[in-house]
Amino acid sequence: MIVSQLSFARQQQPPLFEQLSFTLSPGELLCIEGVNGSGKSSLLRILAGLMQPNTGDICWQGVSIHHPLALFKTQMHYVGHANGIKLDLTVNENLRLTNALSTALASQETLSLLKQLQLHTQQQTLARYLSAGQKRRLALAKLWLTSKKLWLLDEPLTALDANTQTFFLAQLTQHLQQGGMAIMSSHQPIRLATNVQQKTIRLSVCG
């Protein structure tokens, strides 16, 4: 991924960031730091193709992500603050929808993951009745059960207990060691294995 000269400002507001450029290669993690309001979430949404920058471009495999955006989305998974889950579907139905599985319960991989995330007893529970931490774990289960090259994660550790945070970091490390890429924001330090390539950019409100 090559990001060139990105700038973004909301209407009649000072720019959140200007002329932002970076590259991301297979096996690398990019951490986005900054105070609240510095544009971390906006940047991730722009990188996911959900918002347009004022200037600049984002290239994936040599072409702009917008030509066509649908192709880029087949290789990218975005997890934002809203988690991207269907509240009127059960835990099991959310996973079946995401992975096009005929029966999620028949998948040992899915069941094992749900047990690890302490969601196996909630499989028939509507997502709207889950706690904040359970909703976040469901969002991450959807991420881990799909095979996407690029992960875009907005504060993925939010509402997770210590054990689940440890499990998340192990999954992230495995993804990177297998040649995946990730861009994420976090208020907490991210410590991965020493052989994982990790970059950091810090946003500060312009103007």
Side-chain angles (χ1 to χ4, degrees):
M1 172 177 272
I2 301 175
V3 175
S4 305
Q5 305 295 309
L6 281 191
S7 299
F8 178 73
R10 299 188 180 95
Q11 277 191 333
Q12 300 180 347
Q13 297 292 325
L16 287 173
F17 46 84
E18 290 185 296
Q19 306 300 306
L20 180 64
S21 299
F22 61 84
T23 61
L24 190 71
S25 300
E28 290 185 339
L29 166 68
L30 175 66
C31 293
I32 304 172
E33 298 180 350
V35 299
N36 289 339
S38 61
K40 300 187 299 296
S41 295
S42 295
L43 175 56
L44 282 166
R45 288 180 62 81
I46 289 170
L47 295 176
L50 300 174
M51 293 170 52
Q52 290 282 351
N54 296 111
T55 65
D57 198 10
I58 304 157
C59 288
W60 175 260
Q61 297 180 342
V63 297
S64 172
I65 64 169
H66 298 283
H67 303 293
L69 182 59
L71 179 61
F72 173 63
K73 287 185 174 180
T74 65
Q75 302 182 63
M76 174 275 297
H77 194 112
Y78 168 74
V79 179
H81 288 297
N83 291 316
I85 60 178
K86 304 292 186 181
L87 297 180
D88 290 322
L89 297 181
T90 66
V91 167
N92 213 32
E93 289 167 343
N94 267 281
L95 297 181
R96 288 166 59 186
L97 179 64
T98 298
N99 298 289
L101 298 174
S102 58
T103 307
L105 289 174
S107 169
Q108 291 302 311
E109 179 185 10
T110 300
L111 184 56
S112 175
L113 180 59
L114 289 176
K115 286 180 177 179
Q116 184 70 47
L117 295 172
Q118 302 174 51
L119 288 173
H120 60 291
T121 60
Q122 307 293 330
Q123 291 180 71
Q124 304 307 321
T125 301
L126 291 179
R128 68 171 59 257
Y129 297 124
L130 300 177
S131 68
Q134 289 172 329
K135 289 175 182 175
R136 199 59 169 174
R137 280 179 266 154
L138 176 56
L140 292 175
K142 292 173 58 181
L143 167 70
W144 294 328
L145 289 172
T146 57
S147 180
K148 300 295 179 73
K149 184 77 170 180
L150 175 64
W151 294 359
L152 299 174
L153 312 174
D154 198 352
E155 301 288 349
L157 300 179
T158 298
L160 298 183
D161 59 39
N163 288 337
T164 310
Q165 289 186 19
T166 299
F167 183 61
F168 166 80
L169 294 175
Q171 293 291 104
L172 175 61
T173 298
Q174 182 181 52
H175 172 68
L176 297 170
Q177 290 176 336
Q178 293 175 346
M181 295 179 276
I183 302 175
M184 60 180 284
S185 62
S186 178
H187 286 299
Q188 306 177 46
I190 303 300
R191 297 184 177 88
L192 302 178
T194 55
N195 63 338
V196 172
Q197 296 297 313
Q198 188 169 334
K199 301 177 177 179
T200 301
I201 59 173
R202 184 167 184 85
L203 301 181
S204 57
V205 180
C206 303

